[in-house]
PDB file of all heavy atoms in Angstrom:
ATOM      1  N   ALA A   1    -343.180  10.144  43.793  1.00  0.00           N
ATOM      2  CA  ALA A   1    -344.285   9.628  44.600  1.00  0.00           C
ATOM      3  C   ALA A   1    -345.379  10.679  44.685  1.00  0.00           C
ATOM      4  O   ALA A   1    -345.109  11.862  44.913  1.00  0.00           O
ATOM      5  CB  ALA A   1    -343.807   9.251  46.007  1.00  0.00           C
ATOM      6  N   GLY A   2    -346.618  10.249  44.469  1.00  0.00           N
ATOM      7  CA  GLY A   2    -347.762  11.147  44.560  1.00  0.00           C
ATOM      8  C   GLY A   2    -348.493  10.948  45.863  1.00  0.00           C
ATOM      9  O   GLY A   2    -348.712   9.812  46.297  1.00  0.00           O
ATOM     10  N   LEU A   3    -348.868  12.049  46.496  1.00  0.00           N
ATOM     11  CA  LEU A   3    -349.644  12.014  47.740  1.00  0.00           C
ATOM     12  C   LEU A   3    -351.013  12.605  47.429  1.00  0.00           C
ATOM     13  O   LEU A   3    -351.120  13.796  47.099  1.00  0.00           O
ATOM     14  CB  LEU A   3    -348.933  12.821  48.822  1.00  0.00           C
ATOM     15  CG  LEU A   3    -349.522  12.822  50.226  1.00  0.00           C
ATOM     16  CD1 LEU A   3    -349.514  11.420  50.824  1.00  0.00           C
ATOM     17  CD2 LEU A   3    -348.750  13.787  51.127  1.00  0.00           C
ATOM     18  N   ILE A   4    -352.053  11.771  47.481  1.00  0.00           N
ATOM     19  CA  ILE A   4    -353.376  12.210  47.057  1.00  0.00           C
ATOM     20  C   ILE A   4    -354.384  12.062  48.197  1.00  0.00           C
ATOM     21  O   ILE A   4    -354.124  11.406  49.202  1.00  0.00           O
ATOM     22  CB  ILE A   4    -353.868  11.429  45.823  1.00  0.00           C
ATOM     23  CG1 ILE A   4    -354.102   9.945  46.174  1.00  0.00           C
ATOM     24  CG2 ILE A   4    -352.888  11.575  44.667  1.00  0.00           C
ATOM     25  CD1 ILE A   4    -354.809   9.157  45.081  1.00  0.00           C
ATOM     26  N   GLY A   5    -355.543  12.648  48.001  1.00  0.00           N
ATOM     27  CA  GLY A   5    -356.624  12.562  48.962  1.00  0.00           C
ATOM     28  C   GLY A   5    -357.547  13.753  48.827  1.00  0.00           C
ATOM     29  O   GLY A   5    -357.124  14.824  48.356  1.00  0.00           O
ATOM     30  N   PRO A   6    -358.808  13.600  49.208  1.00  0.00           N
ATOM     31  CA  PRO A   6    -359.750  14.731  49.146  1.00  0.00           C
ATOM     32  C   PRO A   6    -359.305  15.873  50.050  1.00  0.00           C
ATOM     33  O   PRO A   6    -358.398  15.714  50.883  1.00  0.00           O
ATOM     34  CB  PRO A   6    -361.068  14.101  49.650  1.00  0.00           C
ATOM     35  CG  PRO A   6    -360.880  12.630  49.545  1.00  0.00           C
ATOM     36  CD  PRO A   6    -359.421  12.377  49.736  1.00  0.00           C
ATOM     37  N   ASN A   7    -359.917  17.034  49.895  1.00  0.00           N
ATOM     38  CA  ASN A   7    -359.623  18.162  50.776  1.00  0.00           C
ATOM     39  C   ASN A   7    -359.807  17.741  52.233  1.00  0.00           C
ATOM     40  O   ASN A   7    -360.783  17.084  52.582  1.00  0.00           O
ATOM     41  CB  ASN A   7    -360.540  19.349  50.462  1.00  0.00           C
ATOM     42  CG  ASN A   7    -360.199  19.999  49.139  1.00  0.00           C
ATOM     43  OD1 ASN A   7    -359.052  19.980  48.711  1.00  0.00           O
ATOM     44  ND2 ASN A   7    -361.193  20.583  48.485  1.00  0.00           N
ATOM     45  N   GLY A   8    -358.864  18.139  53.075  1.00  0.00           N
ATOM     46  CA  GLY A   8    -358.944  17.794  54.488  1.00  0.00           C
ATOM     47  C   GLY A   8    -358.381  16.430  54.814  1.00  0.00           C
ATOM     48  O   GLY A   8    -358.495  15.975  55.966  1.00  0.00           O
ATOM     49  N   ALA A   9    -357.735  15.785  53.848  1.00  0.00           N
ATOM     50  CA  ALA A   9    -357.209  14.430  54.087  1.00  0.00           C
ATOM     51  C   ALA A   9    -355.949  14.439  54.934  1.00  0.00           C
ATOM     52  O   ALA A   9    -355.575  13.409  55.499  1.00  0.00           O
ATOM     53  CB  ALA A   9    -356.934  13.736  52.758  1.00  0.00           C
ATOM     54  N   GLY A  10    -355.254  15.572  55.012  1.00  0.00           N
ATOM     55  CA  GLY A  10    -354.032  15.657  55.812  1.00  0.00           C
ATOM     56  C   GLY A  10    -352.759  15.817  54.994  1.00  0.00           C
ATOM     57  O   GLY A  10    -351.655  15.756  55.537  1.00  0.00           O
ATOM     58  N   LYS A  11    -352.893  16.040  53.696  1.00  0.00           N
ATOM     59  CA  LYS A  11    -351.722  16.103  52.816  1.00  0.00           C
ATOM     60  C   LYS A  11    -350.808  17.277  53.175  1.00  0.00           C
ATOM     61  O   LYS A  11    -349.592  17.111  53.310  1.00  0.00           O
ATOM     62  CB  LYS A  11    -352.175  16.211  51.352  1.00  0.00           C
ATOM     63  CG  LYS A  11    -353.124  15.104  50.909  1.00  0.00           C
ATOM     64  CD  LYS A  11    -353.504  15.242  49.454  1.00  0.00           C
ATOM     65  CE  LYS A  11    -354.245  16.537  49.142  1.00  0.00           C
ATOM     66  NZ  LYS A  11    -355.557  16.634  49.850  1.00  0.00           N
ATOM     67  N   THR A  12    -351.373  18.464  53.299  1.00  0.00           N
ATOM     68  CA  THR A  12    -350.560  19.637  53.607  1.00  0.00           C
ATOM     69  C   THR A  12    -349.977  19.537  55.010  1.00  0.00           C
ATOM     70  O   THR A  12    -348.837  19.957  55.249  1.00  0.00           O
ATOM     71  CB  THR A  12    -351.390  20.927  53.455  1.00  0.00           C
ATOM     72  OG1 THR A  12    -351.822  21.047  52.095  1.00  0.00           O
ATOM     73  CG2 THR A  12    -350.558  22.150  53.816  1.00  0.00           C
ATOM     74  N   THR A  13    -350.738  18.964  55.932  1.00  0.00           N
ATOM     75  CA  THR A  13    -350.217  18.759  57.289  1.00  0.00           C
ATOM     76  C   THR A  13    -348.977  17.873  57.245  1.00  0.00           C
ATOM     77  O   THR A  13    -347.977  18.152  57.914  1.00  0.00           O
ATOM     78  CB  THR A  13    -351.284  18.108  58.190  1.00  0.00           C
ATOM     79  OG1 THR A  13    -352.403  18.987  58.299  1.00  0.00           O
ATOM     80  CG2 THR A  13    -350.733  17.832  59.579  1.00  0.00           C
ATOM     81  N   LEU A  14    -349.024  16.825  56.442  1.00  0.00           N
ATOM     82  CA  LEU A  14    -347.871  15.944  56.319  1.00  0.00           C
ATOM     83  C   LEU A  14    -346.681  16.685  55.707  1.00  0.00           C
ATOM     84  O   LEU A  14    -345.541  16.554  56.179  1.00  0.00           O
ATOM     85  CB  LEU A  14    -348.224  14.720  55.472  1.00  0.00           C
ATOM     86  CG  LEU A  14    -347.114  13.697  55.270  1.00  0.00           C
ATOM     87  CD1 LEU A  14    -346.580  13.189  56.605  1.00  0.00           C
ATOM     88  CD2 LEU A  14    -347.598  12.529  54.432  1.00  0.00           C
ATOM     89  N   PHE A  15    -346.928  17.471  54.668  1.00  0.00           N
ATOM     90  CA  PHE A  15    -345.850  18.269  54.074  1.00  0.00           C
ATOM     91  C   PHE A  15    -345.237  19.202  55.115  1.00  0.00           C
ATOM     92  O   PHE A  15    -344.024  19.390  55.153  1.00  0.00           O
ATOM     93  CB  PHE A  15    -346.393  19.082  52.894  1.00  0.00           C
ATOM     94  CG  PHE A  15    -346.077  18.486  51.554  1.00  0.00           C
ATOM     95  CD1 PHE A  15    -346.022  17.113  51.386  1.00  0.00           C
ATOM     96  CD2 PHE A  15    -345.834  19.281  50.454  1.00  0.00           C
ATOM     97  CE1 PHE A  15    -345.726  16.554  50.151  1.00  0.00           C
ATOM     98  CE2 PHE A  15    -345.537  18.742  49.213  1.00  0.00           C
ATOM     99  CZ  PHE A  15    -345.480  17.369  49.059  1.00  0.00           C
ATOM    100  N   ASN A  16    -346.080  19.795  55.943  1.00  0.00           N
ATOM    101  CA  ASN A  16    -345.575  20.702  56.967  1.00  0.00           C
ATOM    102  C   ASN A  16    -344.764  19.972  58.027  1.00  0.00           C
ATOM    103  O   ASN A  16    -343.851  20.552  58.625  1.00  0.00           O
ATOM    104  CB  ASN A  16    -346.725  21.471  57.612  1.00  0.00           C
ATOM    105  CG  ASN A  16    -347.288  22.547  56.696  1.00  0.00           C
ATOM    106  OD1 ASN A  16    -346.608  23.013  55.778  1.00  0.00           O
ATOM    107  ND2 ASN A  16    -348.532  22.953  56.933  1.00  0.00           N
ATOM    108  N   CYS A  17    -345.071  18.700  58.250  1.00  0.00           N
ATOM    109  CA  CYS A  17    -344.246  17.888  59.152  1.00  0.00           C
ATOM    110  C   CYS A  17    -342.889  17.599  58.519  1.00  0.00           C
ATOM    111  O   CYS A  17    -341.849  17.643  59.185  1.00  0.00           O
ATOM    112  CB  CYS A  17    -344.946  16.570  59.488  1.00  0.00           C
ATOM    113  SG  CYS A  17    -346.386  16.727  60.561  1.00  0.00           S
ATOM    114  N   LEU A  18    -342.887  17.320  57.210  1.00  0.00           N
ATOM    115  CA  LEU A  18    -341.634  17.056  56.511  1.00  0.00           C
ATOM    116  C   LEU A  18    -340.758  18.303  56.460  1.00  0.00           C
ATOM    117  O   LEU A  18    -339.527  18.212  56.427  1.00  0.00           O
ATOM    118  CB  LEU A  18    -341.922  16.565  55.088  1.00  0.00           C
ATOM    119  CG  LEU A  18    -342.633  15.218  54.968  1.00  0.00           C
ATOM    120  CD1 LEU A  18    -343.008  14.932  53.516  1.00  0.00           C
ATOM    121  CD2 LEU A  18    -341.770  14.094  55.511  1.00  0.00           C
ATOM    122  N   SER A  19    -341.383  19.478  56.454  1.00  0.00           N
ATOM    123  CA  SER A  19    -340.645  20.742  56.437  1.00  0.00           C
ATOM    124  C   SER A  19    -340.303  21.227  57.845  1.00  0.00           C
ATOM    125  O   SER A  19    -339.688  22.280  57.989  1.00  0.00           O
ATOM    126  CB  SER A  19    -341.460  21.821  55.716  1.00  0.00           C
ATOM    127  OG  SER A  19    -341.808  21.419  54.415  1.00  0.00           O
ATOM    128  N   ARG A  20    -340.739  20.476  58.859  1.00  0.00           N
ATOM    129  CA  ARG A  20    -340.555  20.829  60.273  1.00  0.00           C
ATOM    130  C   ARG A  20    -341.318  22.091  60.673  1.00  0.00           C
ATOM    131  O   ARG A  20    -341.019  22.717  61.696  1.00  0.00           O
ATOM    132  CB  ARG A  20    -339.075  21.023  60.619  1.00  0.00           C
ATOM    133  CG  ARG A  20    -338.202  19.789  60.674  1.00  0.00           C
ATOM    134  CD  ARG A  20    -338.557  18.796  61.779  1.00  0.00           C
ATOM    135  NE  ARG A  20    -338.973  19.406  63.031  1.00  0.00           N
ATOM    136  CZ  ARG A  20    -338.136  19.878  63.954  1.00  0.00           C
ATOM    137  NH1 ARG A  20    -336.823  19.813  63.765  1.00  0.00           N
ATOM    138  NH2 ARG A  20    -338.585  20.402  65.070  1.00  0.00           N
ATOM    139  N   LEU A  21    -342.346  22.468  59.889  1.00  0.00           N
ATOM    140  CA  LEU A  21    -343.209  23.562  60.306  1.00  0.00           C
ATOM    141  C   LEU A  21    -344.136  23.093  61.413  1.00  0.00           C
ATOM    142  O   LEU A  21    -344.550  23.878  62.276  1.00  0.00           O
ATOM    143  CB  LEU A  21    -344.021  24.082  59.114  1.00  0.00           C
ATOM    144  CG  LEU A  21    -343.216  24.687  57.964  1.00  0.00           C
ATOM    145  CD1 LEU A  21    -344.126  25.066  56.810  1.00  0.00           C
ATOM    146  CD2 LEU A  21    -342.419  25.892  58.431  1.00  0.00           C
ATOM    147  N   TYR A  22    -344.507  21.804  61.369  1.00  0.00           N
ATOM    148  CA  TYR A  22    -345.310  21.187  62.422  1.00  0.00           C
ATOM    149  C   TYR A  22    -344.489  20.095  63.090  1.00  0.00           C
ATOM    150  O   TYR A  22    -343.630  19.468  62.463  1.00  0.00           O
ATOM    151  CB  TYR A  22    -346.580  20.537  61.858  1.00  0.00           C
ATOM    152  CG  TYR A  22    -347.608  21.472  61.282  1.00  0.00           C
ATOM    153  CD1 TYR A  22    -348.641  20.978  60.495  1.00  0.00           C
ATOM    154  CD2 TYR A  22    -347.569  22.845  61.524  1.00  0.00           C
ATOM    155  CE1 TYR A  22    -349.608  21.819  59.954  1.00  0.00           C
ATOM    156  CE2 TYR A  22    -348.523  23.687  60.982  1.00  0.00           C
ATOM    157  CZ  TYR A  22    -349.533  23.174  60.194  1.00  0.00           C
ATOM    158  OH  TYR A  22    -350.478  24.005  59.657  1.00  0.00           O
ATOM    159  N   GLU A  23    -344.794  19.858  64.365  1.00  0.00           N
ATOM    160  CA  GLU A  23    -344.185  18.759  65.104  1.00  0.00           C
ATOM    161  C   GLU A  23    -345.142  17.572  65.130  1.00  0.00           C
ATOM    162  O   GLU A  23    -346.360  17.742  65.230  1.00  0.00           O
ATOM    163  CB  GLU A  23    -343.866  19.190  66.544  1.00  0.00           C
ATOM    164  CG  GLU A  23    -342.862  20.326  66.661  1.00  0.00           C
ATOM    165  CD  GLU A  23    -341.438  19.873  66.388  1.00  0.00           C
ATOM    166  OE1 GLU A  23    -341.219  18.661  66.227  1.00  0.00           O
ATOM    167  OE2 GLU A  23    -340.553  20.748  66.342  1.00  0.00           O
ATOM    168  N   CYS A  24    -344.592  16.379  65.049  1.00  0.00           N
ATOM    169  CA  CYS A  24    -345.398  15.159  65.183  1.00  0.00           C
ATOM    170  C   CYS A  24    -345.609  14.852  66.666  1.00  0.00           C
ATOM    171  O   CYS A  24    -344.659  14.870  67.440  1.00  0.00           O
ATOM    172  CB  CYS A  24    -344.696  13.973  64.513  1.00  0.00           C
ATOM    173  SG  CYS A  24    -344.243  14.214  62.808  1.00  0.00           S
ATOM    174  N   GLU A  25    -346.851  14.569  67.038  1.00  0.00           N
ATOM    175  CA  GLU A  25    -347.115  14.176  68.420  1.00  0.00           C
ATOM    176  C   GLU A  25    -346.655  12.748  68.678  1.00  0.00           C
ATOM    177  O   GLU A  25    -346.222  12.400  69.774  1.00  0.00           O
ATOM    178  CB  GLU A  25    -348.609  14.317  68.730  1.00  0.00           C
ATOM    179  CG  GLU A  25    -349.091  15.754  68.661  1.00  0.00           C
ATOM    180  CD  GLU A  25    -350.563  15.876  69.010  1.00  0.00           C
ATOM    181  OE1 GLU A  25    -351.114  14.933  69.613  1.00  0.00           O
ATOM    182  OE2 GLU A  25    -351.152  16.913  68.687  1.00  0.00           O
ATOM    183  N   GLU A  26    -346.785  11.921  67.666  1.00  0.00           N
ATOM    184  CA  GLU A  26    -346.318  10.543  67.738  1.00  0.00           C
ATOM    185  C   GLU A  26    -345.673  10.189  66.403  1.00  0.00           C
ATOM    186  O   GLU A  26    -345.946  10.797  65.378  1.00  0.00           O
ATOM    187  CB  GLU A  26    -347.474   9.575  68.012  1.00  0.00           C
ATOM    188  CG  GLU A  26    -348.170   9.782  69.342  1.00  0.00           C
ATOM    189  CD  GLU A  26    -349.341   8.819  69.526  1.00  0.00           C
ATOM    190  OE1 GLU A  26    -349.438   7.840  68.752  1.00  0.00           O
ATOM    191  OE2 GLU A  26    -350.155   9.049  70.438  1.00  0.00           O
ATOM    192  N   GLY A  27    -344.807   9.172  66.432  1.00  0.00           N
ATOM    193  CA  GLY A  27    -344.194   8.688  65.206  1.00  0.00           C
ATOM    194  C   GLY A  27    -342.875   9.368  64.882  1.00  0.00           C
ATOM    195  O   GLY A  27    -342.429  10.283  65.593  1.00  0.00           O
ATOM    196  N   THR A  28    -342.250   8.913  63.817  1.00  0.00           N
ATOM    197  CA  THR A  28    -340.954   9.437  63.410  1.00  0.00           C
ATOM    198  C   THR A  28    -340.918   9.664  61.900  1.00  0.00           C
ATOM    199  O   THR A  28    -341.629   8.998  61.133  1.00  0.00           O
ATOM    200  CB  THR A  28    -339.814   8.465  63.769  1.00  0.00           C
ATOM    201  OG1 THR A  28    -340.050   7.204  63.130  1.00  0.00           O
ATOM    202  CG2 THR A  28    -339.723   8.272  65.280  1.00  0.00           C
TER     203      THR A  28
END
């Protein structure tokens, strides 16, 4: 699966959520 988007789209933030480096404020 490819995750795409322009710079600032949130891709790295999502990866950091999957790695548990960041916590999600909402959602699972």
